[in-house]
Amino acid sequence: MSTEPSTEPRFPDLYENYSITSPVLAENREDVFEDLHAHCPVARSTEEGGYWVVNGFEDVRRCAQDWKTFSDKDGIYATPAPQLLYPEDCDPPLHTALREMLNPYFKPKVMEEFEPEIVKLANNLVDDFIDDGEAELVSQFSDALAAGVFCSVIAGMPIEDMPKLQEDFGLAFFGSTKEEKNAGWLAASDYHAEYLAKRKDEEPRGDVVDAILAFEFEGFEWEDRVGCLTLLSSAGLATTSAVFTDAIYYLASHSDDRERLASDVALVPHALEEFIRKASAVMCVGRRVMADTEVAGKQISAGDWVYLNFGAANQDPARFPDEKEYDLDRWPNGHIAFGAGPHRCVGSHLARLDLRVALGVFLSRIPNFRLPNDFKPEYQTGVIRDMLRLPILFDRPGS
């Protein structure tokens, strides 16, 4: 059971000087969110020209649904990236048309067709380290499976290109300066521009890349097609990896839950939603305020920048009893880790399939695993949050 939050502010410096990249946030995320819910439902930052941070579940959901007041037309960063990433960085009617184009390629029935290939990819990755009795999960499984699933299975990109592309996205999300972030986005954009140009001259494959190439909308140019594919890749390569790593970290130190899931795969879908809630890999997204408004008693002016803190929303005690605890039987689990409103993640069905298969394969092949005694996780935090590395130990087959 989680303890009652302290009546005394614990992180008051973050109330008026919040930072989405703060080391304090990276190291103490759950405690920071608990403190914000108790004392500061809307925080303020002086970084990047100043921005607000909305933390409560109902406030975040309402803002995400109200695209006319909280617009995405300027992108998801208070300091704009060098390229707009569609369909995230636009409002209706362009956003509506883009989602209508993309949705058929990410429907549940379509995603199910990829399950055998994802199972094969996951098993091949486990084959590479199962005889070692140890693995570094992030590089050897989590990142590698995310790369294989999206870029190989969905978009048809060469798998050997993925490590460099993941490195570029890492710089884009977590670079220490605006220049580093921009360099990461531009490198990733250049890769996708080259890939789209190559695909344009090939016979159609009937996949989402062909759909992006064929999409027509007034004012939608070549660089916008590049931005669209870049966004899809960035989401596919970054988010599921973070959730799976977080799930394995939890299970490695909670043997009862690990044994339950390993012995009964029917429990995985419900448990998966709790892992998604707790990880909240997409920590926050930005919105431009289009009209004077009020959120949780704070007056916010037209033109201001707001970050919608999905990570904090998914740990709001008003929404989730014992919010700091992992409850693998929590159901229904009304998290908003995939967002809310018109910009809700188009790839949520793929993410769930990827994670369900990954957990199923991993637990069936390696049902007993543990952490090194001295291991302490380190995280990098921005609009995305992930664990830098996760060493695990396990018995070799037959030992």
Side-chain angles (χ1 to χ4, degrees), residues 72-157:
D72 208 0
K73 68 182 182 63
D74 291 334
I76 62 172
Y77 290 99
T79 301
Q83 180 184 30
L84 290 176
L85 304 170
Y86 295 136
E88 181 65 31
D89 295 348
C90 63
D91 293 327
L94 173 57
H95 178 268
T96 304
L98 280 167
R99 288 297 294 255
E100 289 175 351
M101 176 268 289
L102 292 170
N103 283 341
Y105 295 91
F106 293 94
K107 292 191 296 187
K109 286 294 184 183
V110 174
M111 294 298 96
E112 289 174 6
E113 298 174 7
F114 296 116
E115 183 166 349
E117 184 64 21
I118 298 173
V119 171
K120 180 181 177 181
L121 285 168
N123 275 302
N124 287 344
L125 291 171
V126 173
D127 288 342
D128 288 340
F129 58 76
I130 194 169
D131 291 330
D132 298 334
E134 62 181 4
E136 196 293 290
L137 194 82
V138 174
S139 60
Q140 291 185 265
F141 192 88
S142 302
D143 281 357
L145 183 63
V149 169
F150 182 81
C151 290
S152 241
V153 176
I154 305 298
M157 297 173 183

Coordinates of all heavy atoms in Angstrom, one line a residue, residues 72-157:
D72 N -1.8 21.8 -31.4 CA -0.6 21.1 -31.6 C 0.1 21.6 -32.9 O 1.1 21.0 -33.4 CB -0.8 19.6 -31.8 CG 0.4 18.8 -31.4 OD1 1.4 19.4 -31.0 OD2 0.3 17.6 -31.4
K73 N -0.4 22.7 -33.4 CA 0.1 23.2 -34.7 C 1.6 23.6 -34.7 O 2.3 23.7 -35.7 CB -0.7 24.4 -35.2 CG -0.6 25.6 -34.4 CD -1.5 26.7 -35.0 CE -1.4 28.0 -34.2 NZ 0.0 28.6 -34.3
D74 N 2.1 24.0 -33.5 CA 3.5 24.4 -33.4 C 4.5 23.3 -32.9 O 5.6 23.5 -32.6 CB 3.6 25.6 -32.4 CG 3.0 26.8 -33.0 OD1 2.9 27.0 -34.2 OD2 2.5 27.7 -32.2
G75 N 4.0 22.0 -32.9 CA 4.8 20.9 -32.4 C 4.7 20.6 -31.0 O 3.8 21.2 -30.3
I76 N 5.4 19.6 -30.5 CA 5.3 19.1 -29.1 C 6.3 19.7 -28.2 O 6.3 19.4 -27.0 CB 5.4 17.6 -29.1 CG1 6.7 17.1 -29.6 CG2 4.2 17.0 -29.9 CD1 6.9 15.6 -29.4
Y77 N 7.3 20.6 -28.7 CA 8.3 21.1 -27.9 C 8.1 22.6 -27.7 O 7.7 23.3 -28.6 CB 9.7 20.9 -28.5 CG 10.2 19.5 -28.5 CD1 10.0 18.7 -29.6 CD2 10.8 19.0 -27.4 CE1 10.5 17.4 -29.6 CE2 11.2 17.6 -27.4 CZ 11.1 16.9 -28.5 OH 11.5 15.6 -28.5
A78 N 8.4 23.1 -26.5 CA 8.3 24.6 -26.3 C 9.4 25.3 -27.1 O 9.1 26.4 -27.7 CB 8.6 24.9 -24.8
T79 N 10.5 24.7 -27.3 CA 11.5 25.2 -28.3 C 11.4 24.3 -29.5 O 11.7 23.1 -29.5 CB 13.0 25.1 -27.7 OG1 13.1 25.8 -26.6 CG2 13.9 25.6 -28.8
P80 N 10.8 24.8 -30.6 CA 10.4 24.0 -31.7 C 11.6 23.2 -32.3 O 12.7 23.6 -32.4 CB 9.9 25.0 -32.8 CG 9.6 26.2 -32.0 CD 10.5 26.2 -30.8
A81 N 11.3 21.9 -32.7 CA 12.2 21.1 -33.4 C 12.3 21.7 -34.8 O 11.5 22.5 -35.3 CB 11.7 19.7 -33.5
P82 N 13.4 21.3 -35.6 CA 13.6 21.9 -36.9 C 12.6 21.4 -38.0 O 12.6 22.0 -39.1 CB 15.0 21.4 -37.3 CG 15.2 20.2 -36.5 CD 14.5 20.4 -35.2
Q83 N 11.8 20.5 -37.6 CA 10.8 20.0 -38.6 C 9.5 19.6 -37.9 O 9.5 19.0 -36.8 CB 11.4 18.7 -39.3 CG 10.5 18.1 -40.4 CD 11.0 16.9 -41.0 OE1 11.8 16.1 -40.3 NE2 10.7 16.6 -42.2
L84 N 8.4 19.9 -38.5 CA 7.1 19.4 -38.0 C 6.9 18.0 -38.3 O 7.3 17.5 -39.3 CB 6.0 20.2 -38.6 CG 5.9 21.7 -38.2 CD1 4.8 22.4 -38.9 CD2 5.7 21.8 -36.7
L85 N 6.4 17.3 -37.3 CA 6.2 15.8 -37.4 C 4.7 15.5 -37.4 O 4.1 15.5 -36.4 CB 6.9 15.1 -36.2 CG 8.4 15.5 -36.0 CD1 8.9 15.0 -34.6 CD2 9.2 14.9 -37.1
Y86 N 4.2 15.2 -38.6 CA 2.8 14.9 -38.8 C 2.5 13.5 -38.6 O 3.3 12.6 -38.9 CB 2.4 15.4 -40.2 CG 2.5 16.8 -40.4 CD1 3.0 17.3 -41.6 CD2 2.0 17.8 -39.5 CE1 3.1 18.7 -41.9 CE2 2.1 19.1 -39.8 CZ 2.6 19.6 -40.9 OH 2.7 20.9 -41.2
P87 N 1.3 13.1 -38.1 CA 0.1 14.0 -37.8 C 0.1 14.6 -36.4 O -0.8 15.3 -36.0 CB -1.0 13.0 -37.9 CG -0.5 11.7 -37.5 CD 0.9 11.7 -37.9
E88 N 1.2 14.4 -35.6 CA 1.2 15.0 -34.2 C 1.2 16.5 -34.3 O 0.5 17.1 -33.5 CB 2.5 14.5 -33.5 CG 2.6 15.0 -32.1 CD 1.5 14.5 -31.1 OE1 1.0 13.4 -31.3 OE2 1.1 15.3 -30.2
D89 N 2.0 17.1 -35.2 CA 2.2 18.5 -35.1 C 1.2 19.3 -36.1 O 1.6 20.2 -36.8 CB 3.6 18.9 -35.5 CG 4.6 18.3 -34.5 OD1 4.2 17.9 -33.4 OD2 5.8 18.3 -34.8
C90 N 0.0 19.0 -36.0 CA -1.0 19.7 -36.8 C -2.4 19.5 -36.2 O -2.6 18.6 -35.4 CB -1.0 19.3 -38.3 SG -1.5 17.6 -38.6
D91 N -3.3 20.3 -36.5 CA -4.7 20.3 -36.1 C -5.6 19.9 -37.2 O -5.2 19.9 -38.4 CB -5.1 21.6 -35.5 CG -4.4 22.0 -34.2 OD1 -4.1 21.0 -33.4 OD2 -4.2 23.2 -34.0
P92 N -6.9 19.6 -37.0 CA -7.8 19.4 -38.1 C -7.9 20.7 -38.9 O -7.7 21.8 -38.4 CB -9.2 19.1 -37.3 CG -8.7 18.5 -36.0 CD -7.5 19.3 -35.7
P93 N -8.2 20.6 -40.2 CA -8.6 19.3 -40.9 C -7.4 18.5 -41.4 O -7.7 17.3 -41.8 CB -9.4 19.9 -42.1 CG -8.7 21.2 -42.4 CD -8.3 21.8 -41.1
L94 N -6.2 19.0 -41.5 CA -5.1 18.1 -42.0 C -4.9 16.9 -41.1 O -4.7 15.8 -41.5 CB -3.8 19.0 -42.0 CG -2.5 18.2 -42.3 CD1 -2.6 17.4 -43.7 CD2 -1.3 19.1 -42.3
H95 N -5.0 17.1 -39.8 CA -4.8 16.0 -38.8 C -5.9 14.9 -39.1 O -5.6 13.7 -39.1 CB -4.9 16.5 -37.4 CG -4.8 15.4 -36.4 ND1 -5.9 14.7 -35.9 CD2 -3.7 14.8 -35.8 CE1 -5.5 13.8 -35.0 NE2 -4.2 13.8 -35.0
T96 N -7.1 15.3 -39.3 CA -8.2 14.4 -39.6 C -7.9 13.6 -40.8 O -8.1 12.3 -40.8 CB -9.5 15.1 -39.7 OG1 -9.8 15.9 -38.5 CG2 -10.7 14.1 -39.9
A97 N -7.5 14.2 -41.9 CA -7.2 13.5 -43.1 C -6.0 12.6 -43.0 O -6.0 11.4 -43.5 CB -6.9 14.5 -44.2
L98 N -5.0 13.0 -42.2 CA -3.9 12.1 -42.0 C -4.2 10.9 -41.2 O -3.8 9.8 -41.5 CB -2.7 12.9 -41.3 CG -1.9 13.8 -42.2 CD1 -1.0 14.7 -41.4 CD2 -1.0 12.9 -43.2
R99 N -5.0 11.1 -40.2 CA -5.4 9.9 -39.4 C -6.3 9.0 -40.2 O -6.2 7.7 -40.0 CB -6.1 10.4 -38.1 CG -5.2 11.0 -37.1 CD -4.2 10.1 -36.5 NE -4.8 9.0 -35.8 CZ -4.8 8.9 -34.4 NH1 -4.1 9.8 -33.7 NH2 -5.3 7.9 -33.8
E100 N -7.1 9.5 -41.0 CA -8.0 8.6 -41.9 C -7.1 7.8 -42.8 O -7.4 6.7 -43.2 CB -9.0 9.5 -42.6 CG -10.1 10.0 -41.8 CD -11.0 10.9 -42.5 OE1 -10.7 11.3 -43.7 OE2 -12.1 11.3 -42.0
M101 N -6.0 8.4 -43.2 CA -5.0 7.7 -44.1 C -4.3 6.6 -43.3 O -4.1 5.5 -43.8 CB -4.1 8.7 -44.7 CG -3.0 8.0 -45.6 SD -1.4 7.7 -44.7 CE -0.8 9.4 -44.4
L102 N -3.8 6.9 -42.1 CA -3.0 6.0 -41.3 C -3.8 4.9 -40.6 O -3.3 3.8 -40.5 CB -2.2 6.8 -40.3 CG -1.1 7.8 -40.8 CD1 -0.6 8.6 -39.7 CD2 0.0 7.0 -41.5
N103 N -5.0 5.2 -40.1 CA -5.7 4.3 -39.2 C -5.8 2.9 -39.8 O -5.7 1.9 -39.1 CB -7.0 4.9 -38.9 CG -7.0 5.9 -37.8 OD1 -6.0 6.0 -37.1 ND2 -8.0 6.7 -37.7
P104 N -6.2 2.7 -41.1 CA -6.4 1.4 -41.6 C -5.1 0.5 -41.5 O -5.3 -0.8 -41.4 CB -6.7 1.6 -43.1 CG -7.3 3.0 -43.1 CD -6.5 3.7 -42.1
Y105 N -3.9 1.0 -41.4 CA -2.7 0.3 -41.3 C -2.4 -0.1 -39.9 O -1.4 -0.9 -39.7 CB -1.6 1.0 -41.9 CG -1.7 1.3 -43.4 CD1 -2.4 2.4 -43.9 CD2 -1.3 0.3 -44.3 CE1 -2.6 2.6 -45.2 CE2 -1.5 0.5 -45.7 CZ -2.2 1.6 -46.1 OH -2.4 1.8 -47.5
F106 N -3.1 0.4 -38.9 CA -2.8 0.1 -37.5 C -4.0 -0.4 -36.8 O -4.1 -0.4 -35.5 CB -2.3 1.3 -36.8 CG -0.9 1.8 -37.4 CD1 -0.8 2.7 -38.4 CD2 0.2 1.2 -36.9 CE1 0.4 3.1 -38.9 CE2 1.5 1.6 -37.3 CZ 1.6 2.5 -38.3
K107 N -5.0 -0.9 -37.5 CA -6.2 -1.5 -36.9 C -5.8 -2.9 -36.2 O -4.9 -3.5 -36.6 CB -7.3 -1.7 -37.9 CG -7.9 -0.4 -38.4 CD -9.2 -0.7 -39.2 CE -8.9 -1.5 -40.4 NZ -10.1 -1.6 -41.3
P108 N -6.6 -3.3 -35.1 CA -6.2 -4.5 -34.4 C -6.1 -5.7 -35.4 O -5.2 -6.5 -35.2 CB -7.4 -4.6 -33.4 CG -7.8 -3.2 -33.2 CD -7.7 -2.5 -34.5
K109 N -7.1 -5.9 -36.3 CA -7.1 -7.0 -37.2 C -5.8 -7.0 -38.1 O -5.3 -8.1 -38.3 CB -8.3 -7.1 -38.0 CG -9.6 -7.5 -37.3 CD -9.5 -8.9 -36.8 CE -10.8 -9.4 -36.1 NZ -10.7 -10.7 -35.6
V110 N -5.4 -5.9 -38.5 CA -4.2 -5.8 -39.3 C -3.0 -6.1 -38.5 O -2.1 -6.8 -39.0 CB -4.1 -4.4 -39.9 CG1 -2.8 -4.2 -40.7 CG2 -5.3 -4.1 -40.9
M111 N -3.0 -5.6 -37.3 CA -1.8 -5.9 -36.4 C -1.6 -7.4 -36.1 O -0.5 -7.9 -36.0 CB -1.9 -5.1 -35.1 CG -1.9 -3.6 -35.3 SD -0.3 -3.0 -35.9 CE -0.7 -2.8 -37.7
E112 N -2.8 -8.1 -36.0 CA -2.7 -9.5 -35.7 C -2.0 -10.3 -36.7 O -1.4 -11.3 -36.4 CB -4.1 -10.0 -35.5 CG -4.8 -9.6 -34.2 CD -6.3 -10.0 -34.2 OE1 -6.7 -10.8 -35.1 OE2 -7.0 -9.6 -33.3
E113 N -2.0 -9.8 -38.0 CA -1.3 -10.5 -39.0 C 0.2 -10.5 -38.8 O 0.9 -11.4 -39.4 CB -1.6 -9.8 -40.4 CG -3.1 -9.9 -40.8 CD -3.4 -9.1 -42.0 OE1 -2.5 -8.6 -42.7 OE2 -4.6 -9.0 -42.4
F114 N 0.7 -9.6 -38.1 CA 2.2 -9.5 -37.8 C 2.6 -10.3 -36.6 O 3.8 -10.4 -36.4 CB 2.6 -8.0 -37.6 CG 2.4 -7.1 -38.8 CD1 1.5 -6.1 -38.7 CD2 3.0 -7.3 -40.0 CE1 1.3 -5.2 -39.8 CE2 2.8 -6.5 -41.1 CZ 2.0 -5.5 -41.0
E115 N 1.7 -10.9 -35.9 CA 2.1 -11.6 -34.7 C 3.1 -12.7 -34.9 O 4.1 -12.8 -34.2 CB 0.8 -12.1 -33.9 CG 1.2 -12.8 -32.6 CD 0.0 -13.0 -31.7 OE1 -1.1 -12.5 -32.0 OE2 0.2 -13.8 -30.7
P116 N 2.9 -13.6 -35.9 CA 3.9 -14.6 -36.1 C 5.3 -14.1 -36.3 O 6.3 -14.6 -35.8 CB 3.4 -15.4 -37.3 CG 1.9 -15.1 -37.3 CD 1.8 -13.7 -36.8
E117 N 5.4 -13.0 -37.1 CA 6.7 -12.4 -37.3 C 7.3 -11.8 -36.1 O 8.6 -11.9 -35.9 CB 6.6 -11.4 -38.4 CG 8.0 -10.8 -38.9 CD 8.9 -11.8 -39.5 OE1 8.4 -12.9 -40.0 OE2 10.1 -11.5 -39.5
I118 N 6.5 -11.2 -35.3 CA 7.0 -10.6 -34.0 C 7.5 -11.7 -33.1 O 8.5 -11.6 -32.4 CB 5.9 -9.7 -33.4 CG1 5.6 -8.6 -34.3 CG2 6.4 -9.2 -32.0 CD1 4.4 -7.7 -33.8
V119 N 6.7 -12.8 -33.0 CA 7.1 -14.0 -32.2 C 8.5 -14.5 -32.7 O 9.4 -14.8 -31.8 CB 6.1 -15.1 -32.3 CG1 6.6 -16.4 -31.6 CG2 4.8 -14.7 -31.6
K120 N 8.7 -14.6 -33.9 CA 9.9 -15.1 -34.5 C 11.1 -14.1 -34.1 O 12.2 -14.6 -33.7 CB 9.8 -15.2 -36.0 CG 11.1 -15.7 -36.7 CD 10.9 -15.8 -38.2 CE 12.2 -16.2 -38.9 NZ 12.0 -16.2 -40.4
L121 N 10.8 -12.8 -34.3 CA 11.9 -11.8 -33.9 C 12.3 -11.9 -32.5 O 13.5 -11.9 -32.1 CB 11.4 -10.4 -34.2 CG 11.3 -10.0 -35.7 CD1 10.5 -8.7 -35.8 CD2 12.7 -9.8 -36.3
A122 N 11.3 -12.0 -31.6 CA 11.5 -12.1 -30.2 C 12.3 -13.4 -29.8 O 13.3 -13.3 -29.0 CB 10.2 -12.1 -29.4
N123 N 11.9 -14.5 -30.4 CA 12.7 -15.7 -30.1 C 14.1 -15.7 -30.6 O 15.0 -16.2 -30.0 CB 11.9 -16.9 -30.7 CG 10.8 -17.5 -29.8 OD1 11.1 -17.9 -28.7 ND2 9.6 -17.5 -30.3
N124 N 14.3 -15.1 -31.8 CA 15.7 -15.0 -32.3 C 16.6 -14.2 -31.4 O 17.7 -14.5 -31.2 CB 15.6 -14.4 -33.7 CG 15.1 -15.3 -34.8 OD1 15.0 -16.5 -34.5 ND2 14.7 -14.8 -35.9
L125 N 16.0 -13.1 -30.8 CA 16.8 -12.3 -29.9 C 17.2 -13.0 -28.7 O 18.3 -13.0 -28.2 CB 16.0 -11.0 -29.6 CG 15.8 -10.0 -30.7 CD1 14.9 -8.9 -30.3 CD2 17.2 -9.4 -31.1
V126 N 16.2 -13.8 -28.1 CA 16.5 -14.6 -26.9 C 17.5 -15.6 -27.2 O 18.4 -15.9 -26.4 CB 15.2 -15.2 -26.4 CG1 15.5 -16.2 -25.2 CG2 14.2 -14.1 -25.9
D127 N 17.5 -16.2 -28.4 CA 18.4 -17.2 -28.8 C 19.9 -16.7 -28.7 O 20.8 -17.5 -28.4 CB 18.2 -17.7 -30.3 CG 17.0 -18.6 -30.4 OD1 16.5 -19.1 -29.4 OD2 16.5 -18.7 -31.5
D128 N 20.0 -15.4 -29.0 CA 21.4 -14.8 -29.0 C 22.1 -14.7 -27.7 O 23.3 -14.6 -27.6 CB 21.3 -13.4 -29.7 CG 21.1 -13.5 -31.2 OD1 21.3 -14.5 -31.8 OD2 20.6 -12.4 -31.7
F129 N 21.3 -14.8 -26.6 CA 21.9 -14.6 -25.3 C 21.5 -15.6 -24.2 O 22.0 -15.7 -23.1 CB 21.7 -13.2 -24.7 CG 20.2 -12.8 -24.5 CD1 19.5 -13.3 -23.5 CD2 19.6 -11.9 -25.4 CE1 18.1 -12.9 -23.3 CE2 18.3 -11.5 -25.2 CZ 17.6 -12.0 -24.2
I130 N 20.6 -16.5 -24.5 CA 20.0 -17.4 -23.5 C 21.1 -18.4 -22.9 O 21.0 -18.8 -21.8 CB 18.8 -18.2 -24.0 CG1 18.1 -18.8 -22.9 CG2 19.2 -19.2 -25.1 CD1 16.7 -19.4 -23.3
D131 N 22.1 -18.7 -23.7 CA 23.1 -19.6 -23.2 C 24.2 -18.9 -22.4 O 25.1 -19.5 -21.8 CB 23.8 -20.3 -24.4 CG 22.9 -21.3 -25.1 OD1 22.1 -21.9 -24.4 OD2 23.1 -21.5 -26.3
D132 N 24.1 -17.5 -22.3 CA 25.1 -16.8 -21.6 C 24.8 -16.7 -20.1 O 25.6 -16.4 -19.3 CB 25.2 -15.4 -22.1 CG 25.7 -15.3 -23.6 OD1 26.4 -16.3 -24.0 OD2 25.4 -14.4 -24.3
G133 N 23.5 -16.8 -19.7 CA 23.1 -16.7 -18.3 C 23.0 -15.3 -17.9 O 22.8 -15.0 -16.7
E134 N 23.1 -14.3 -18.8 CA 23.0 -12.9 -18.5 C 22.7 -12.1 -19.8 O 23.0 -12.6 -20.9 CB 24.3 -12.4 -17.8 CG 25.5 -12.5 -18.7 CD 26.8 -12.0 -18.0 OE1 26.7 -11.6 -16.8 OE2 27.8 -11.9 -18.7
A135 N 22.2 -10.9 -19.6 CA 22.0 -10.1 -20.8 C 21.8 -8.6 -20.3 O 21.5 -8.4 -19.2 CB 20.7 -10.5 -21.5
E136 N 22.1 -7.7 -21.2 CA 21.8 -6.3 -21.0 C 20.6 -6.1 -21.8 O 20.6 -6.0 -23.0 CB 23.0 -5.4 -21.5 CG 22.9 -4.0 -21.0 CD 21.7 -3.2 -21.6 OE1 21.7 -2.9 -22.8 OE2 20.7 -3.0 -20.8
L137 N 19.4 -6.0 -21.1 CA 18.1 -6.1 -21.7 C 17.8 -5.0 -22.7 O 17.2 -5.2 -23.8 CB 17.1 -6.1 -20.7 CG 15.7 -6.6 -21.2 CD1 15.6 -8.1 -21.3 CD2 14.6 -6.0 -20.3
V138 N 18.3 -3.8 -22.4 CA 17.9 -2.7 -23.3 C 18.5 -2.9 -24.7 O 17.7 -2.8 -25.7 CB 18.4 -1.3 -22.7 CG1 18.1 -0.2 -23.7 CG2 17.7 -1.0 -21.4
S139 N 19.8 -3.1 -24.8 CA 20.4 -3.2 -26.1 C 20.1 -4.6 -26.8 O 19.9 -4.7 -28.0 CB 21.9 -3.0 -26.0 OG 22.5 -3.9 -25.2
Q140 N 20.1 -5.6 -26.0 CA 20.0 -7.0 -26.6 C 18.6 -7.4 -26.8 O 18.4 -8.4 -27.6 CB 20.7 -8.0 -25.6 CG 22.2 -7.8 -25.6 CD 22.9 -8.9 -24.8 OE1 23.2 -8.7 -23.6 NE2 23.2 -10.0 -25.4
F141 N 17.6 -6.8 -26.2 CA 16.2 -7.2 -26.5 C 15.2 -6.0 -26.7 O 14.6 -6.0 -27.7 CB 15.7 -8.1 -25.3 CG 14.4 -8.8 -25.6 CD1 14.4 -10.0 -26.2 CD2 13.2 -8.2 -25.3 CE1 13.3 -10.7 -26.6 CE2 12.0 -8.9 -25.7 CZ 12.0 -10.1 -26.3
S142 N 15.1 -5.1 -25.7 CA 14.1 -4.1 -25.8 C 14.2 -3.3 -27.1 O 13.3 -3.1 -27.9 CB 14.1 -3.2 -24.6 OG 13.9 -4.0 -23.4
D143 N 15.4 -2.6 -27.2 CA 15.6 -1.8 -28.4 C 15.6 -2.6 -29.7 O 15.0 -2.1 -30.7 CB 16.9 -1.0 -28.3 CG 16.8 0.2 -27.3 OD1 15.7 0.5 -26.8 OD2 17.9 0.9 -27.1
A144 N 16.2 -3.7 -29.6 CA 16.3 -4.5 -30.9 C 15.0 -5.0 -31.3 O 14.7 -5.0 -32.5 CB 17.3 -5.7 -30.6
L145 N 14.1 -5.4 -30.4 CA 12.8 -5.9 -30.8 C 11.9 -4.7 -31.4 O 11.3 -4.9 -32.4 CB 12.1 -6.6 -29.7 CG 10.7 -7.1 -30.0 CD1 10.8 -8.3 -31.1 CD2 9.9 -7.7 -28.8
A146 N 12.0 -3.6 -30.7 CA 11.2 -2.4 -31.2 C 11.7 -2.1 -32.6 O 10.8 -1.7 -33.5 CB 11.5 -1.2 -30.3
A147 N 13.0 -2.1 -32.9 CA 13.5 -1.8 -34.2 C 13.0 -2.8 -35.2 O 12.6 -2.5 -36.3 CB 15.0 -1.8 -34.2
G148 N 13.1 -4.1 -34.8 CA 12.7 -5.1 -35.8 C 11.2 -5.1 -36.1 O 10.8 -5.2 -37.2
V149 N 10.4 -4.8 -35.1 CA 8.9 -4.8 -35.3 C 8.5 -3.6 -36.2 O 7.8 -3.8 -37.2 CB 8.2 -4.7 -33.9 CG1 6.7 -4.5 -34.1 CG2 8.4 -6.0 -33.2
F150 N 8.9 -2.4 -35.8 CA 8.4 -1.3 -36.6 C 9.1 -1.2 -38.0 O 8.4 -1.2 -39.0 CB 8.5 0.0 -35.9 CG 7.9 1.2 -36.7 CD1 6.5 1.4 -36.7 CD2 8.7 2.0 -37.5 CE1 6.0 2.4 -37.5 CE2 8.1 2.9 -38.3 CZ 6.8 3.1 -38.3
C151 N 10.4 -1.1 -37.9 CA 11.1 -0.7 -39.2 C 11.2 -1.9 -40.1 O 11.3 -1.7 -41.3 CB 12.4 -0.1 -38.8 SG 12.2 1.5 -38.1
S152 N 11.3 -3.1 -39.6 CA 11.4 -4.2 -40.5 C 10.1 -4.8 -40.9 O 9.8 -5.0 -42.1 CB 12.2 -5.3 -39.8 OG 13.4 -5.6 -40.5
V153 N 9.2 -5.0 -39.9 CA 7.9 -5.6 -40.2 C 6.9 -4.6 -40.8 O 6.2 -4.9 -41.7 CB 7.4 -6.2 -38.9 CG1 6.0 -6.8 -39.1 CG2 8.3 -7.3 -38.4
I154 N 6.8 -3.4 -40.2 CA 5.8 -2.5 -40.6 C 6.2 -1.6 -41.8 O 5.5 -1.4 -42.7 CB 5.4 -1.6 -39.4 CG1 5.0 -2.4 -38.2 CG2 4.3 -0.6 -39.8 CD1 3.8 -3.3 -38.4
A155 N 7.4 -1.0 -41.7 CA 7.8 0.0 -42.7 C 8.8 -0.6 -43.7 O 9.1 0.1 -44.7 CB 8.4 1.2 -42.0
G156 N 9.3 -1.8 -43.5 CA 10.2 -2.4 -44.5 C 11.6 -1.8 -44.6 O 12.3 -2.0 -45.6
M157 N 12.1 -1.1 -43.5 CA 13.4 -0.5 -43.6 C 14.4 -1.6 -43.2 O 14.2 -2.5 -42.5 CB 13.5 0.6 -42.5 CG 12.6 1.8 -42.8 SD 12.6 3.0 -41.5 CE 11.4 4.2 -42.1

